[in-house]
Amino acid sequence: MSAVAERLRPLTGHRLFWPALVLVIMILANTIYRPGFLSIEVKNGNLYGTPVDILRLSAPLMLVALGMTLVIATGGIDLSVGSLCAISGAIACVVISQAPDPNSLSTVFTALALAFGAALVLGAWNGVLVAVIGIQPIIATLILMVAGRGLAQLLTEGQIVTINSAPYRAIGLGHFLTLPLAIFIALAAALLVAALTRRTALGLIVESVGGNAEASRLAGIRSSRIIFLVYVVSAACAAIAGFMITANVSSADGNAAGLWVELDAILAVVIGGTSLAGGRFSLSGTVLGALIIQTLTTTVYAMDISPQTSLLFKAVVVIAVCLIQAPAFRAKFNRRRRSPRTRPAAAPREKEEVAA
């Protein structure tokens, strides 16, 4: 048994092993509960099925979590990504709804450009507050988290702005090569971020800033610029996610779009193995964490768990995943399981001998 454990130790010691195992277990549980869970069918030349839906619905969360990973790697946090999703979606839908031809590609591209530019400006605002002024990240982004919701509702005048634009709808519901277009958008973003952080020195610089910003500055790295950059990147990812969220329903709701997505993004990052203290990060772990959260959400709906207990159910599963992949918890659990039973102390007998 010990020999098998020694052989499996390199595999079980990998940071992605336990999250991947949890994802496989959830898929197996869903398959047992619903035998057709993994079934995929072809309709009108496109693939449909629960696995495809999980990938499509997890695309916005993947995008937000990718940007959040870089922010957390620098030792920060971005609570405003949900509001940025709402703002970008609101601007795009308002521009399209007021255009003479909502189905025009020029109209859609103009709306996307305006919304994306606004998100970059707001991301730069977060970066200035954190990197230049020196406000704590959780406070700086909390400002935009609260004010951003009000701005989104101001843009939509407190109403749900509905649109009828086929090109914009394609961002969330369109297909390419038989698969949803949203999957390819998220995949392209993940590959781009991976290329910039793993094929260049940018990734090491981000990790060094997160590990010790002052030491990085003394080493010649301009930490403030890196911190400013990651908040802009996070805003860009949130903007694209906002396009997907609003395109899925062909409407913009300033109050509900992207609501609490920042919390799911943080959970995805943590489940993927990135420490909230900053430093080393894992993009592949973040993608896996987003898939776990979306699979868990699908599981809750599939098993008809009541809304009152669904959040509690998700919390228990997330806590279990975090504990399982924590090296300190596993070491303590294994130590307690292997420790032999202690014999009862012989103190009473010693006391009797002394008395005699």
Side-chain angles (χ1 to χ4, degrees):
M1 188 68 178
S2 59
V4 176
E6 289 295 330
R7 292 180 180 179
L8 294 178
R9 181 170 297 177
L11 179 62
T12 57
H14 195 278
R15 67 168 65 186
L16 298 182
F17 173 77
W18 296 105
L21 180 62
V22 170
L23 180 60
V24 171
I25 291 174
M26 284 196 296
I27 293 175
L28 290 176
N30 278 282
T31 304
I32 294 173
Y33 184 78
R34 287 192 304 160
F37 179 78
L38 294 177
S39 62
I40 297 177
E41 56 183 356
V42 180
K43 292 182 179 179
N44 299 323
N46 299 318
L47 297 178
Y48 293 90
T50 303
V52 178
D53 289 338
I54 290 175
L55 292 175
R56 179 180 63 84
L57 294 174
S58 64
L61 178 58
M62 283 184 192
L63 286 167
V64 176
L66 286 172
M68 187 71 73
T69 301
L70 299 181
V71 172
I72 290 177
T74 61
I77 201 78
D78 191 353
L79 299 179
S80 65
V81 289
S83 296
L84 286 170
C85 290
I87 293 172
S88 62
I91 293 175
C93 288
V94 168
V95 172
I96 293 175
S97 65
Q98 296 177 353
D101 185 9
N103 290 309
S104 173
L105 288 177
S106 61
T107 298
V108 173
F109 285 139
T110 301
L112 295 178
L114 290 174
F116 193 74
L120 293 181
V121 171
L122 294 175
W125 166 259
N126 283 337
V128 168
L129 292 181
V130 176
V132 179
I133 300 178
I135 300 177
Q136 288 291 331
I138 191 171
I139 301 300
T141 57
L142 183 63
I143 295 172
L144 185 56
M145 174 186 176
V146 177
R149 285 289 167 188
L151 179 58
Q153 295 187 49
L154 182 63
L155 291 169
T156 59
E157 298 180 351
Q159 304 296 322
I160 298 178
V161 179
T162 58
I163 60 174
N164 186 14
S165 175
Y168 189 78
R169 191 184 306 114
I171 298 175
L173 300 176
H175 285 78
F176 178 71
L177 298 178
T178 72
L179 289 174
L181 182 61
I183 297 176
F184 291 99
I185 296 175
L187 179 61
L191 292 177
L192 178 61
V193 174
L196 292 176
T197 56
R198 297 310 183 191
R199 296 298 180 181
T200 67
L202 181 61
L204 292 176
I205 293 174
V206 170
E207 291 179 346
S208 65
V209 171
N212 193 322
E214 182 63 20
S216 300
R217 186 186 66 81
L218 295 175
I221 298 174
R222 298 185 178 181
S223 302
S224 58
R225 289 190 178 183
I226 298 299
I227 295 174
F228 175 85
L229 176 62
V230 297
Y231 281 96
V232 174
V233 173
S234 177
C237 293
I240 301 174
F243 299 152
M244 290 184 182
I245 293 171
T246 52
N248 281 333
V249 292
S250 294
S251 63
D253 186 352
N255 186 46
L259 188 63
W260 308 127
V261 71
E262 58 272 4
L263 301 184
D264 283 342
I266 295 172
L267 285 176
V269 174
V270 173
I271 289 174
T274 300
S275 173
L276 288 175
R280 296 186 61 185
F281 62 92
S282 173
L283 295 176
S284 56
T286 296
V287 173
L288 187 59
L291 288 175
I292 289 176
I293 292 177
Q294 184 56 50
T295 304
L296 181 58
T297 303
T298 303
T299 302
V300 169
Y301 292 149
M303 294 185 175
D304 294 330
I305 298 177
S306 63
Q308 292 80 7
T309 58
S310 61
L311 295 177
L312 178 61
F313 177 78
K314 290 178 65 175
V316 170
V317 174
V318 170
I319 291 174
V321 174
C322 293
L323 287 177
I324 288 173
Q325 69 173 346
F329 177 80
R330 295 203 308 270
K332 183 177 293 186
F333 178 78
N334 292 333
R335 195 184 310 120
R336 180 172 297 181
R337 187 179 61 178
R338 294 174 182 175
S339 60
R341 295 182 179 178
T342 56
R343 296 181 180 180
R349 181 177 296 180
E350 292 178 0
K351 291 183 179 179
E352 292 177 1
E353 291 178 357
V354 171

